[in-house]
Structure formats: structure tokens, C-alpha cells
């Protein structure tokens, strides 16, 4: 029986720790590392000071299609895709680094910078699984040319994104205003992230 590399195990513990700090659920850690459930549960308690939450992971593809989640999900995925394709960070590492950049961009212009992000780490991970399963695709807006998360196999020749055509009351509720700041700030951050990804040398 092959002995597991101590260095490899240390890398996985470090990766799991980073993911826990970013909000990963235990199911995500099990999928991304080869550490046992018991070790991950103990690590979670050490990092968070509490037991890992129970229950099913969010699994709805439709959540990513609503106005604000779609903008944030698209911003995250554009960063992830660029990092996975053009930098040494791959797969799990690209996920961690892209999510950190997403948090940085998503907090720009928010009145409550310490509030919960629109896109949680676990949902970001689920989004990548949906892409891998061909349940969603990146469609390009005919107006701004940016890439946005859409249902797989949806027509793309007349696709208009959530930024160019927001719903009438997008971002006007009191809860959204308090949690995410002005919608315009979120849109500016999304545009900046999309423009940076497009302009970066490939």
C-alpha cells in the first residue's frame, strides 16, 4: 500500500484551511481534498471555532440567473476562467484565488463592506460544477460584449445581459441597498473585472 506524501497532505490541509476561512462547507472540502471526513471536521472546528453546518448544498441553477447573483457569478467566473487558463493557479487553487479577487471587487462601493457577499464560496464552487456538467454556459451580450452565466444551450445570437437590461426594480429594495450598497457600484465593479479579463494578454 502506497504511503501518502507528507508534503502532499500538508498542502491539502493548507488548501482546506483557506477554503474554510472563505466559507466552504464540509462537502466542498471532501470533494477538493483526499482528507478524511473526521480530519476535515476537526480542522473546521479549529478554524471556525464551531461544528460544520449540516444540510444539503445549494443546487439550483436558476439562482445564478437572477439579476444580482448573475452579475456577481459572471464576474467571479470570468476571473476564475482567466486564472485557470493563463496563470499557474489551476482548479482548486484557481478557485481560491479567483474567489478572493471576487470578494475584493464585490466590496467596492458597498456601504457595508463587511457584510455577506452575494456569491458565497460554496455557490462559487457549485457554479464551477455546473459548468463542468454542461448545465450552464457563458453567453456574450450583444450590447456590451461581456460574458455572462446563462442556461446551457440557450440561444446566444440575441442575448442581453443583466447589466444592459436590468429588471425594473433591480437593487431598489431596502434590504439590497443596505447589504450591497448602490447597484451602480456593483455594476461598475463587474464591468472593470470583465474589461480586465478581456484586455489581459493571453
Amino acid at each position: 500500500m502506497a504511503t501518502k506524501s507528507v508534503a502532499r497532505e500538508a498542502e491539502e490541509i493548507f488548501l482546506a484551511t483557506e477554503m474554510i476561512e472563505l466559507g466552504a462547507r464540509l462537502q466542498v472540502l471532501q470533494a477538493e481534498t483526499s482528507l478524511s471526513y473526521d480530519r476535515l471536521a476537526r480542522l473546521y472546528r479549529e478554524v471556525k471555532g464551531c461544528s460544520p453546518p449540516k444540510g444539503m448544498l445549494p443546487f439550483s441553477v436558476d439562482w445564478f440567473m437572477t439579476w444580482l447573483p448573475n452579475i456577481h457569478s459572471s464576474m467571479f467566473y470570468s476571473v476564475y476562467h482567466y486564472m485557470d487558463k493563463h496563470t499557474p493557479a489551476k482548479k482548486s487553487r484557481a478557485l481560491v484565488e479567483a474567489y478572493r479577487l471576487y470578494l475584493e471587487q464585490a466590496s467596492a462601493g458597498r456601504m457595508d463592506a463587511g457584510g455577506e457577499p452575494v456569491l458565497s464560496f460554496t455557490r462559487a464552487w457549485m457554479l464551477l460544477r455546473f459548468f463542468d456538467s454542461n448545465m450552464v454556459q457563458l453567453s456574450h451580450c450583444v450590447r456590451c460584449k461581456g460574458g455572462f452565466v446563462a442556461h446551457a444551450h440557450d440561444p446566444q445570437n440575441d442575448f442581453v445581459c443583466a447589466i444592459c437590461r436590468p429588471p425594473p426594480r433591480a437593487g431598489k429594495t431596502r434590504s439590497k441597498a443596505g447589504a450591497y450598497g448602490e447597484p451602480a457600484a456593483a455594476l461598475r465593479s463587474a464591468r472593470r473585472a470583465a474589461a480586465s479579463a478581456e484586455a489581459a494578454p493571453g
Side-chain angles (χ1 to χ4, degrees):
M1 182 175 179
T3 303
K4 186 175 181 179
S5 165
V6 174
R8 175 60 182 165
E9 185 176 38
E11 289 176 2
E12 291 197 333
I13 292 173
F14 182 70
L15 175 64
T17 300
E18 289 185 291
M19 289 185 170
I20 292 169
E21 291 172 343
L22 292 172
R25 297 273 294 275
L26 210 57
Q27 296 96 316
V28 176
L29 305 177
Q30 287 182 282
E32 296 299 323
T33 72
S34 61
L35 300 173
S36 69
Y37 177 90
D38 289 339
R39 294 198 69 184
L40 289 171
R42 289 200 303 271
L43 181 62
Y44 191 98
R45 285 191 289 269
E46 286 182 17
V47 175
K48 288 288 192 178
C50 61
S51 297
K54 300 183 183 299
M56 297 178 62
L57 296 180
F59 59 86
S60 172
V61 173
D62 291 337
W63 182 89
F64 296 97
M65 306 305 157
T66 55
W67 178 70
L68 196 60
N70 186 259
I71 293 172
H72 283 250
S73 300
S74 302
M75 176 168 62
F76 161 76
Y77 184 75
S78 294
V79 175
Y80 167 82
H81 180 71
Y82 178 83
M83 295 194 72
D84 185 56
K85 188 174 182 180
H86 298 290
T87 76
K90 303 297 180 185
K91 302 303 179 182
S92 299
R93 176 52 52 188
L95 165 62
V96 169
E97 298 302 330
Y99 190 74
R100 285 200 177 112
L101 287 173
Y102 157 72
L103 291 178
E104 180 182 308
Q105 291 295 319
S107 64
R110 279 172 50 180
M111 293 183 293
D112 180 17
E116 291 294 320
V118 174
L119 182 71
S120 69
F121 185 86
T122 296
R123 283 197 187 274
W125 178 80
M126 285 297 303
L127 177 64
L128 300 185
R129 304 277 283 201
F130 288 148
F131 269 101
D132 290 343
S133 302
N134 295 317
M135 296 176 68
V136 297
Q137 66 186 17
L138 204 65
S139 295
H140 287 80
C141 177
V142 296
R143 296 183 185 177
C144 69
K145 311 305 180 184
F148 290 82
V149 176
H151 286 293
H153 313 302
D154 275 359
Q156 299 197 49
N157 57 342
D158 59 350
F159 174 77
V160 180
C161 71
I163 293 179
C164 293
R165 189 165 60 191
R169 293 190 55 79
K172 293 182 180 179
T173 64
R174 183 175 302 176
S175 60
K176 292 294 185 189
Y180 311 126
E182 296 182 3
L187 303 188
R188 286 195 297 269
S189 293
R191 286 194 176 107
R192 283 199 302 271
S196 298
E198 291 293 333

